[in-house]
Amino acid sequence: MAAQIVLFDGFDPLDAIAPFEVLAAGSDEVGGALEVELVSAEGPRRVISGTRGLALEATGVLDPGRPGYLVVPGASGPVDGDPDDGVETIPVLLARMAQSAAAPLIKQALTNHEVTVAAVCGGSLALAMAGLIENRHAVTHPLGMDVLEATGVRPVHARVVDDGNLISASGVTSGLDLALYLLEREYGPHIAHAVEQLFVYERRGTPWRRPPA
């Protein structure tokens, strides 16, 4: 099992680091059974976030055939501004990610029954802009819910939304809740609880799960 955290230019650092740390701690609890890695569509490289030039190192290439989880963060940047004036707003960064080399790889992952795609905050908007989650249930940051619905996604106002092989979380800090939910879903509540105790953090909200067909 692997958890691939997908980095792209302009990503939000907390969207990536919060799940990374929680999943890494969960991996320690299960004897290293979950391999957690920062990846990019281009392979190993230095990826600059949208927050004050903070950069993280992707150590692997995004692999849609690798069983486990693919975690897609949102973007960080100004909310307002004119892109024609060179302002790289969050919508611009998310749209760019939706048109990047990562999009077709994530599309492949969504067709792989051994992979679950998990999006944090604006990550679900990027997937929606790429046309990958039409008619699926998802959540994003409160400021983007109308946009999410406009792309044909079924918006759900919950902190974590489970639509089978697509799981999404709302605001930036919800990456913690998302990762804890993934640990509970995969390894059981005792593992998620152990990580909660380690991080001195209690999950918020009740996860929404798609009703059985």
Side-chain angles (χ1 to χ4, degrees), residues 139-155:
V139 67
T140 188
H141 190 281
L143 292 177
M145 290 293 279
D146 290 343
V147 178
L148 193 67
E149 185 173 18
T151 64
V153 176
R154 298 182 179 184

Side-chain angles (χ1 to χ4, degrees), residues 10-135:
F11 73 94
D12 187 297
L14 188 57
D15 285 1
I17 288 299
F20 182 91
E21 287 214 40
V22 169
L23 294 172
S27 177
D28 291 341
E29 291 290 332
V30 295
L34 180 66
E35 184 177 352
V36 188
E37 186 176 20
L38 300 175
V39 302
S40 81
E42 300 78 20
R45 70 180 180 98
R46 185 172 180 264
V47 187
I48 300 176
S49 77
T51 302
R52 307 290 178 95
L54 176 67
L56 293 177
E57 195 77 22
T59 58
V61 62
L62 195 169
D63 182 357
R66 199 173 175 189
Y69 294 96
L70 206 61
V71 181
V72 182
S76 175
V79 176
D80 300 314
D82 190 346
D84 292 336
D85 293 334
V87 181
E88 294 194 332
T89 61
I90 289 176
V92 167
L93 294 171
L94 293 176
R96 186 179 299 161
M97 192 277 184
Q99 298 167 4
S100 73
L105 295 174
I106 297 171
K107 182 178 182 179
Q108 290 180 47
L110 284 166
T111 64
N112 185 344
H113 71 277
E114 293 186 307
V115 178
T116 294
V117 174
V120 183
C121 196
S124 55
L125 273 178
L127 300 182
M129 290 175 177
L132 302 182
I133 57 173
E134 187 175 357
N135 209 35

